[in-house]
Amino acid sequence: MGYAAFDPKTPLSYFQFQRRDLRPDDVQIDILYCGVCHSDLHQARNEWSNTTYPVVPGHEIVGKVVAVGSEVTKFQPGDMAGVGCLVDSCKSCSECQADLEQYCNLAVYTYNSADPYTGKSTYGGYSNNIVVREDFVLRIPDNLDPAATAPLLCAGITTYSPMRHWNVSRGQKVGVVGLGGLGHMAVKFAHAFGAHTVLFTTSPGKVEDAKRLGADEVVISKDPDQMSQHLGSFDFILDTVAAPHDLDQYLMLLKRDGSLCLVGVPDHPHPSPSVANLIFKRRKLGGSLIGGLKETQEMLDFCGEHNITSDIEMIAIQHINEAYERMLKSDVKYRFVIDLASLQQESPRAEHASEEQPSMQINPVAA
Ligand code: NAP
Ligand code: ZN
């Protein structure tokens, strides 16, 4: 059972469904905590025009293993385990061979994808359990609080991966745009990697928090005077904003050969940036999608070693719709995490209690 959106406009509500039977290489997990990502909201409301309803969002999952298939070797019942945005991929293409499963053309997402084994839609972590192929299950460091670890499975890896790819390190000046779920993890990682870290925010009320989280400087992005003090000075800027905005104001802050990496995915495109801002200083504009399984485990282990977790506000699943509204107002400090114990209070409601949906196309390679 879980919570689902049944159309773009109606609040999420109770939904009863079955997970697939355990295959030999599957792990079954009882979900304890699930982070609330802005992508969940985008997809619940069909803002990316690709949602199959009902959709059970949630891809920042931490729980306890309760059963394993006969061929599973890395997990046993009782282990803590994590699941992020991916639950399967072809495992044979060049992307998968390079441990970049997120770029596999047959990648299967934790929700709103076709399950390669059943053809039905995958359902995410706003639920009490999940069945996932062993290769897509992560180990959770013992020393970390499980609830505050859940957001690492998406917000963590989505910010860690581009910073590793662009070699963020000591001696660099690095910007993070937006202090939400992704942004606050980006600030923690940039600080941990030793970079001089500058946060750009539209919310003056977040300045002190940003400094506490590791920012060396905080800039109010709506203030042109504050912005102009940083012209041509950044090696790398990670933009986590979930809404369309002017990219030129950040491109101009890069030094020669600097890079602006977009990870936010607004429902409408950003206005096109000026070509001149790119060519005159050979600047680069790029993007990055979550991270592969190997790098996600590396990130979790890094967080274990450096005691890094998310700053969270725990909610009952019954408050998910309110949490979405607060997320839209940039009022998240700094990730909502659902305590799935709250799901026990639900009693099945007849209108949404069955799992009637058409079969989806089966992924021919992974099947
Ligand atoms: P979030 O918690 O809502 O944070 C977004 C932050 O952006 C806000 O807290 C706010 O920070 C800033 N912001 C919001 N509206 C703005 C506006 N109109 N102008 C300027 N700044 C604004 O969202 P999130 O969960 O971090 O996700 C951010 C985006 O990343 C979403 O689009 C999500 O879908 C996407 N995402 C991408 C990937 C990937 O693999 N690339 C993975 C996960 C999520 P301030 O108050 O500090 O300004
Ligand atoms: Zn996410």
Side-chain angles (χ1 to χ4, degrees), residues 37-39 42 48 154 158 178-182 201-203 206 240-243 263-265 288-290 327 330 335:
C37 180
H38 207 113
S39 302
H42 288 308
W48 297 338
C154 175
T158 302
L179 196 71
L182 267 57
T201 182
T202 58
S203 308
K206 293 182 182 174
T240 75
V241 172
V263 286
V265 190
S288 184
L289 178 68
I290 45 176
M327 192 148 65
S330 302
R335 195 60 140 186

Side-chain angles (χ1 to χ4, degrees), residues 23-43:
R23 299 163 52 263
D25 60 350
D26 275 344
V27 174
Q28 185 176 340
I29 298 165
D30 272 359
I31 301 175
L32 297 171
Y33 303 106
C34 183
V36 178
C37 180
H38 207 113
S39 302
D40 300 349
L41 187 158
H42 288 308
Q43 295 195 68

Side-chain angles (χ1 to χ4, degrees), residues 37 39 59-60 84-87 100-103 107-110 152-163 165 182 262-263 265 287-293 295-296:
C37 180
S39 302
H59 55 207
E60 296 184 336
C85 303
L86 297 170
V87 288
L100 296 168
E101 297 89 350
Q102 72 274 33
Y103 301 118
V108 180
Y109 295 96
T110 306
L152 302 180
L153 276 309
C154 175
I157 185 60
T158 302
T159 51
Y160 181 94
S161 181
M163 288 203 204
H165 181 74
L182 267 57
L262 307 179
V263 286
V265 190
S288 184
L289 178 68
I290 45 176
L293 272 296
E295 193 172 45
T296 305

